[in-house]
Amino acid sequence: MNEPSVKNSLCSYCGNAPINHTFSFLESVISITLDNYGKKFIKYVPFFVKDFADLVPEFLFRTLAFLKLAKFSGDINKANTFRSRIIWEEAKKRGIIMEQVIFLYRPLDFYRAMLKIDDKSKNFYFESIPIRPEFLDMDKNWDDKVIMKQEFMEHNIPVPDYSELSLFAFLHFKNADKKIGEIFSKLRKPIIVKPRVGSRGRHTITNIHTLEQFQEGINVARQICSYLIVEEHLKGDVCRATFVNGVLAGFYKGHAPTLVGDGKKTIKELIEEKDKKRESRVEPIRISKELDDHILRSGFVIFDVLPKGVSLSLTHRIGRLFGGRTVEMIDDLHPSFIPILEKAAKITGLSVVGFDAIIPDPTEPADSQRWGIIECNSLPFIDLHYYALEGKHKNIAGMIWDLWN
């Protein structure tokens, strides 16, 4: 199986996952403004209405197929994401027939699999990960970073201090600067500003120290989301804990590409030197506007000589696709983290969930360091565990299919 590779993007702030900015912004208005109210309302909806809603994807795709606008493909090489491909590979091993939805000749990240439901074999339609129907209903939108932090704070789960900022703050121009100033002054520095919903680190601005940098960060983040979250920038590596049925299935630690100055070479020269020594699976560091802005917030430009012994992070993005490293280290995780993470998974009630956390050293006791969960993913990219540069992963896809037994 080929590994994920870097995708070209016209927007450096989208990183490896470019999206349509306007569509994302409008979608955020709906998903945050309406969806969270919908989650509260859905608890009172009769079961027969929910059952009808569950049939909508099947009806839609079968109708499109009848109209010759869509078809179902068994070609695994067309899998839309590596997450889906890993699921598909495991399905083939188990003899499960899985097909992909092709709409107007375009492969979608939607699939169907012949599974036993209520003692009957029938096609189950799903997006990327086959989550059993009884686990699909969420009483809260756990992908919403604000809602997650509110709930976790109430249950004493470590999260960074934060504040929220909506588009409505900008509708009253007289109060906008005051609101921004109040948020900036109350949080410990440095801070981060990012979209309230969304993943992959898109339009996330880190290491903010000044009010001017904060305003610039807001301008970048609001390009793709109408609601923002501002939070304390915890120090440490980005870690991902993935749970299946309440059991920790994977834990990896990601490193951003970092330079150490020698007092002689410029930052650009150090990047070139680092790229020459990189492993074959590690992508070269891309010099972009995002990188330039990132190091500027640390007080440097690309042609500066980095002082001897000074460590400089080049981006908030982690992993081999950005010149960094990832280590799958579930067996090395300090056991004190496990009950805390298990509690977080239980609170969400999700059968498959991923948590992103900032942890200085996952091998040391949890109560000996300042750390926190920063995001929750209800459709986690399980492939991240499979493609780590170091360490051995568990068969997470197998654990997901086991839920159907």
Side-chain angles (χ1 to χ4, degrees):
M1 185 193 305
N2 293 328
E3 291 190 312
S5 57
V6 172
K7 296 179 181 177
N8 292 323
S9 173
L10 295 177
C11 173
S12 63
Y13 291 109
C14 281
N16 190 43
I19 57 173
N20 183 293
H21 290 184
T22 302
F23 179 78
S24 175
F25 181 90
L26 295 175
E27 183 183 41
S28 73
V29 175
I30 298 172
S31 66
I32 297 175
T33 306
L34 301 180
D35 190 47
N36 292 327
Y37 290 103
K39 297 295 182 188
K40 298 176 183 177
F41 170 76
I42 200 169
K43 292 188 295 184
Y44 306 102
V45 174
F47 282 107
F48 73 87
V49 176
K50 293 182 182 179
D51 291 340
F52 173 77
D54 290 340
L55 290 173
V56 170
E58 178 179 358
F59 174 79
L60 174 62
F61 292 134
R62 290 182 66 174
T63 300
L64 290 173
F66 176 78
L67 297 174
K68 306 298 183 183
L69 297 176
K71 65 178 182 178
F72 300 99
S73 169
D75 185 358
I76 193 173
N77 294 313
K78 292 181 179 178
N80 198 271
T81 61
F82 278 84
R83 171 181 58 196
S84 299
R85 173 150 187 152
I86 288 169
I87 290 289
W88 204 338
E89 290 269 5
E90 185 64 27
K92 289 173 73 71
K93 292 178 185 177
R94 295 168 178 244
I96 298 172
I97 299 174
M98 181 169 157
E99 295 177 309
Q100 180 180 25
V101 177
I102 309 293
F103 177 63
L104 296 178
Y105 303 101
R106 180 184 177 186
L108 304 182
D109 208 22
F110 285 88
Y111 307 81
R112 70 179 184 182
M114 185 62 68
L115 299 167
K116 183 166 285 190
I117 304 174
D118 297 330
D119 294 325
K120 295 180 181 179
S121 293
K122 56 183 179 181
N123 278 312
F124 175 70
Y125 293 76
F126 60 93
E127 180 184 359
S128 192
I129 295 179
I131 298 172
R132 289 186 65 96
E134 60 265 35
F135 297 122
L136 287 174
D137 289 337
M138 292 194 297
D139 61 345
K140 294 179 176 64
N141 182 3
W142 292 107
D143 296 296
D144 185 321
K145 301 175 183 70
V146 169
I147 288 178
M148 183 218 74
K149 290 181 174 66
Q150 287 173 343
E151 293 295 319
F152 283 7
M153 273 188 167
E154 289 183 10
H155 291 85
N156 296 315
I157 302 294
V159 296
D161 292 333
Y162 74 96
S163 186
E164 52 186 306
L165 189 62
S166 78
L167 64 88
F168 300 109
F170 300 103
L171 297 180
H172 306 285
F173 296 104
K174 293 182 180 179
N175 298 326
D177 290 342
K178 181 180 178 182
K179 175 72 172 177
I180 291 170
E182 289 174 350
I183 292 175
F184 180 77
S185 62
K186 77 176 185 179
L187 291 174
R188 185 184 311 190
K189 311 302 181 295
I191 59 175
I192 296 172
V193 59
K194 56 186 174 182
R196 181 168 161 174
V197 293
S199 59
R200 312 289 286 277
R202 297 184 190 94
H203 289 249
T204 294
I205 306 300
T206 63
N207 199 35
I208 295 172
H209 293 271
T210 69
L211 188 58
E212 181 182 3
Q213 292 172 350
F214 183 32
Q215 182 63 69
E216 291 172 352
I218 290 172
N219 292 337
V220 171
R222 65 188 288 209
Q223 291 174 16
I224 66 167
C225 191
S226 54
Y227 291 80
L228 310 179
I229 182 169
V230 188
E231 62 188 45
E232 172 193 359
H233 187 164
L234 297 174
K235 297 299 181 182
D237 292 313
V238 180
C239 301
R240 162 63 66 86
T242 298
F243 281 81
V244 178
N245 201 27
V247 176
L248 184 63
F251 187 92
Y252 84 83
K253 178 174 68 172
H255 301 272
T258 302
L259 304 176
V260 177
D262 61 3
K264 300 177 182 179
K265 300 184 186 69
T266 66
I267 293 172
K268 187 174 186 298
E269 289 171 336
L270 289 172
I271 290 174
E272 292 169 349
E273 181 178 83
K274 187 178 181 70
D275 279 342
K276 289 178 181 178
K277 298 177 181 178
R278 64 185 169 86
E279 296 180 25
S280 59
R281 293 179 62 204
V282 177
E283 296 283 347
I285 297 166
R286 292 192 169 193
I287 297 176
S288 64
K289 186 179 187 312
E290 184 184 56
L291 185 149
D292 288 337
D293 291 346
H294 184 87
I295 64 173
L296 184 61
R297 290 192 293 276
S298 294
F300 297 99
V301 296
I302 199 78
F303 295 107
D304 283 344
V305 172
L306 193 60
K308 186 175 182 179
V310 171
S311 177
L312 178 66
S313 170
L314 297 175
T315 176
H316 68 280
R317 303 184 187 280
I318 63 167
R320 66 176 190 83
L321 295 182
F322 306 99
R325 303 184 64 80
T326 51
V327 181
E328 182 65 21
M329 51 174 296
I330 188 170
D331 295 329
D332 297 322
L333 175 66
H334 195 278
S336 59
F337 283 98
I338 296 177
I340 302 173
L341 295 170
E342 286 178 340
K343 181 180 178 181
K346 185 176 181 180
I347 291 169
T348 67
L350 299 171
S351 61
V352 182
V353 63
F355 298 117
D356 289 342
I358 303 293
I359 307 176
D361 188 349
T363 66
E364 294 295 320
D367 60 5
S368 70
Q369 51 194 317
R370 184 171 176 78
W371 70 283
I373 297 175
I374 57 172
E375 294 184 20
C376 174
N377 301 274
S378 62
L379 199 67
F381 283 90
I382 62 172
D383 52 301
L384 296 175
H385 300 281
Y386 285 68
Y387 295 109
L389 285 171
E390 302 174 35
K392 186 177 180 181
H393 65 82
K394 287 188 176 182
N395 183 9
I396 302 175
M399 295 173 70
I400 292 172
W401 282 117
D402 283 344
L403 295 176
W404 290 88
N405 294 336

